[in-house]
Amino acid sequence: MHEEIKVWQRAVTGELCWVAPDDRPMGIPVVPLVMDDHPCVALPYLHRDVAEALREAEEVAFAVTDSASLRTEGGAGGVAVIGPARVDDDVEGDLFARDLLEQELVKHPPSRLLADSRLLRRENWWWLPRVIVRLSRASRTLRLPARTDPRRDAVLVRDGVGLRIDTVRADDAGGWAADQLTLRSLAGEPLRGDGGPAMAFGHTYTVPDLERWEVWNRSGVLRGERLLVAGRVGSPDATLEPLGLLSRIRRQRDLARGCRAGIAEAAAKAGAGPATGRPRGED
């Protein structure tokens, strides 16, 4: 797993993929981090619902498929490391601040605006508590062709013999807009969908600031090479323009509110008191 860990460690963005207990394939873009030589992500408490779904997953894929992230690897293809994952609440943010914050600050410019100094960490205390998701052990590793066209390429997630992920391209003239999509594996192999649930998703972001980082998906059932779409979120054709001042203020307010609500819920569930708001890891 050494080479796959190197790719994950150097990548700016990655994908976390799994199948929920109700058989829903799921996937989100993440900032790749490493803890104790294992792939790891640190989800802000805004995404507490995602963390709860991950707790029940039998397997989780830590993948890097974005060609922009893979350029640091000399144009190498994508990778995925798959296995059971451990999900831990870090409601006080101490573990994140000690072991993962510096990694995130290097890769994720929005975090620098929130936590790049002692003063910022005190003011934005809600950004430090995290749900830590880390690979427990690698059951298998995959080499995947990279996604090179963010408007046409996606990660396909489904349940085969265990969790299965592929990188695919929509071959229809209308891209991802149709209700029935013809998908082509970027590896050139038949997808052989058996009519079970599947979800294709992609993400794109502004460079180099990552101020806008948007995800889209299409979910339904996969029959052969055809995805029969039943649900859709976002669009790969969306134009990512810089946010205006009011939009930035509104987004910051919504982010803080969502994180504080998730922290309070996690603390109540654990029977702990509220988070203190002190600057973590600096006592």
Side-chain angles (χ1 to χ4, degrees), residues 170-240:
D171 270 351
D172 301 89
W176 294 92
D179 291 332
Q180 296 188 28
L181 299 166
T182 301
L183 303 183
R184 174 172 57 86
S185 165
L186 295 181
E189 300 174 355
L191 294 174
R192 295 194 176 94
D194 61 1
M199 190 266 285
F201 79 102
H203 56 100
T204 187
Y205 48 89
T206 54
V207 178
D209 57 15
L210 272 78
E211 180 189 48
R212 299 284 305 276
W213 192 1
E214 303 295 336
V215 62
W216 60 270
N217 69 55
R218 301 291 182 266
S219 58
V221 297
L222 185 70
R223 294 176 180 163
E225 317 298 304
R226 301 283 285 176
L227 179 65
L228 309 182
V229 178
R232 61 183 70 235
V233 173
S235 170
D237 298 316
T239 301
L240 302 185

Side-chain angles (χ1 to χ4, degrees), residues 6-208:
K6 283 177 59 180
V7 175
W8 176 266
Q9 187 172 28
R10 295 179 184 178
V12 175
T13 68
E15 298 86 34
L16 205 63
C17 308
W18 71 101
V19 175
D22 60 1
D23 294 330
R24 283 182 303 133
M26 304 183 75
I28 57 171
V30 294
V31 178
L33 307 173
V34 173
M35 177 180 287
D36 299 327
D37 296 322
H38 283 70
C40 168
V41 300
L43 300 175
Y45 270 93
L46 177 71
H47 302 301
R48 178 164 168 76
D49 57 337
V50 171
E52 291 305 311
L54 277 163
R55 293 183 201 278
E56 304 299 324
E58 293 185 4
E59 291 186 310
V60 177
F62 295 75
V64 180
T65 67
D66 174 36
S67 61
S69 274
L70 290 161
R71 284 174 189 160
T72 56
E73 293 298 314
V79 301
V81 184
I82 302 174
R86 173 178 172 178
V87 182
D88 293 310
D89 282 289
D90 182 24
V91 179
E92 289 294 329
D94 294 320
L95 179 61
F96 174 71
R98 186 188 70 219
D99 294 341
L100 301 172
L101 175 59
E102 291 303 319
Q103 294 182 53
E104 183 168 291
L105 292 178
V106 170
K107 297 184 177 186
H108 193 235
S111 283
R112 297 176 207 156
L113 300 177
L114 296 170
D116 201 18
S117 70
R118 180 176 298 188
L119 176 61
L120 285 172
R121 287 193 282 274
R122 183 177 292 278
E123 290 178 348
N124 304 308
W125 64 268
W126 43 267
W127 189 242
L128 277 293
R130 298 295 179 99
V131 180
I132 310 296
V133 184
R134 49 189 142 170
L135 184 72
S136 297
R137 58 178 174 80
S139 300
R140 61 193 188 279
T141 61
L142 302 176
R143 286 283 175 173
L144 300 166
R147 296 179 297 112
T148 58
D149 186 339
R151 295 181 183 271
R152 297 180 64 195
D153 298 347
V155 180
L156 181 69
V157 187
R158 52 186 162 140
D159 189 8
V161 181
L163 174 64
R164 176 172 175 180
I165 65 172
D166 301 271
T167 48
V168 298
R169 175 166 292 180
D171 270 351
D172 301 89
W176 294 92
D179 291 332
Q180 296 188 28
L181 299 166
T182 301
L183 303 183
R184 174 172 57 86
S185 165
L186 295 181
E189 300 174 355
L191 294 174
R192 295 194 176 94
D194 61 1
M199 190 266 285
F201 79 102
H203 56 100
T204 187
Y205 48 89
T206 54
V207 178

